[in-house]
Amino acid sequence: MSAPSSVDGLEARMAPRTSAPVRRRPAWHPATVASVAQETPDARRIVLDVPTWPGNDPGQHLDLRLTAEDGYQASRSYSIASAGEGTQVTLAVDRVEGGEVSPFLVDAIEVGDALDVHGPLGGWFVWHPGRSERPVQLIAGGSGIVPLLPMVTAHAEADDPAPFRLLYATRTPDDVFFREELDGALRAHAPLEVTHVYSRRAPEGSDAPVGRLTRAALEQAVLPPADGALVYVCGSTPFVEQVLRWLGELGHDVSDVRAERFGGA
């Protein structure tokens, strides 16, 4: 999935942040793994029970801390794939080979395991339904969809009239995160449009071109600069940097774009 600097967490390093306050004070909370499920061949969905969790806004993240039997601790930041007032928190973690935390979370963590989370964190890379009629353009690369999904679902659940578009670049259809949730949002809410770009293999029977995202494909898929959309971009650092360059060349105000990057460690 990207202020988080993490193995697979999402890191916001771009652009000065606005002064929008975070509604809930972050704190450390004990958590228990409630369920795990394979999300893609290299990623796992993990649902945590966090009894003291205060809720979080769409787009926020948390720090996750693991403690070994010998007392050794390791922490990473992960974007949150859920939002709202509940005490369950959903993560989707992509395995980074050679990483210290993600291989354990993807391959070994089990229901009932205990860990700690710190959050909710971040007040800049968020979106709230009902606060603006401004169109929204989401651009995700791979696991960069994680903080954007809660925006999509909040938009659909609130029946928000703001136009929403998502451009989602993955290697193959098997690498798409949250397909059921995205399909459900499309069925529920007309102002949502989703464009998939596949770099290695398209769905069977599709005549969509296969290859990495290009400037021409980006221009065709995203809302035009004249629409004044609020743009969110999330993905690996090279992906985000390339998208930002293209957006600027196409006439978008890049200083108004909210971007998060992720990398491995």
Side-chain angles (χ1 to χ4, degrees):
M1 345 223 148
S2 284
S5 167
S6 83
V7 184
D8 353 83
L10 302 169
E11 178 172 65
R13 297 179 185 166
M14 180 225 155
R17 300 193 173 199
T18 68
S19 58
V22 178
R23 291 194 299 118
R24 305 168 179 91
R25 184 180 298 276
W28 281 103
H29 305 272
T32 304
V33 177
S35 67
V36 295
Q38 204 70 25
E39 187 67 30
T40 75
D42 297 313
R44 208 174 197 189
R45 185 184 305 208
I46 303 170
V47 179
L48 303 175
D49 277 328
V50 191
T52 56
W53 188 250
N56 63 276
D57 298 325
Q60 288 192 293
H61 64 280
L62 56 73
D63 292 337
L64 181 150
R65 183 173 64 197
L66 299 173
T67 303
E69 292 182 0
D70 63 1
Y72 175 77
Q73 293 184 328
S75 298
R76 296 292 185 273
S77 297
Y78 292 95
S79 292
I80 305 171
S82 54
E85 302 300 327
T87 57
Q88 283 201 330
V89 176
T90 301
L91 308 177
V93 179
D94 207 6
R95 181 193 298 107
V96 174
E97 297 303 331
E100 184 178 24
V101 174
S102 69
F104 174 78
L105 295 177
V106 174
D107 300 326
I109 201 167
E110 298 178 350
V111 172
D113 284 352
L115 45 83
D116 299 293
V117 296
H118 181 249
L121 302 171
W124 178 74
F125 196 84
V126 298
W127 180 85
H128 302 92
R131 296 195 180 182
S132 172
E133 297 180 357
R134 188 177 179 184
V136 176
Q137 176 68 60
L138 310 175
I139 304 173
S143 59
I145 189 65
V146 176
L148 305 182
L149 175 74
M151 302 180 192
V152 171
T153 53
H155 177 251
E157 290 169 0
D159 198 25
D160 190 284
F164 248 58
R165 281 195 189 180
L166 168 64
L167 172 59
Y168 187 13
T170 58
R171 291 171 297 182
T172 74
D174 295 335
D175 297 300
V176 172
F177 287 67
F178 308 116
R179 183 177 290 280
E180 289 186 10
E181 288 83 354
L182 292 174
D183 289 346
L186 280 168
R187 291 192 298 269
H189 201 54
L192 171 66
E193 296 180 32
V194 179
T195 300
H196 289 274
V197 175
Y198 301 102
S199 62
R200 297 185 183 177
R201 175 173 56 83
E204 185 175 352
S206 172
D207 58 0
V210 174
R212 291 186 179 275
L213 181 66
T214 64
R215 172 177 154 166
L218 179 78
E219 181 178 19
Q220 184 175 10
V222 303
L223 292 163
D227 284 8
L230 179 58
V231 181
Y232 295 81
V233 185
C234 189
S236 67
T237 296
F239 176 86
V240 171
E241 293 296 339
Q242 184 64 78
V243 167
L244 292 176
R245 281 194 292 272
W246 286 336
L247 289 173
E249 292 168 4
L250 294 171
H252 292 266
D253 180 5
V254 179
S255 69
D256 194 34
V257 174
R258 303 185 181 196
E260 285 194 348
R261 304 157 171 81
F262 63 83

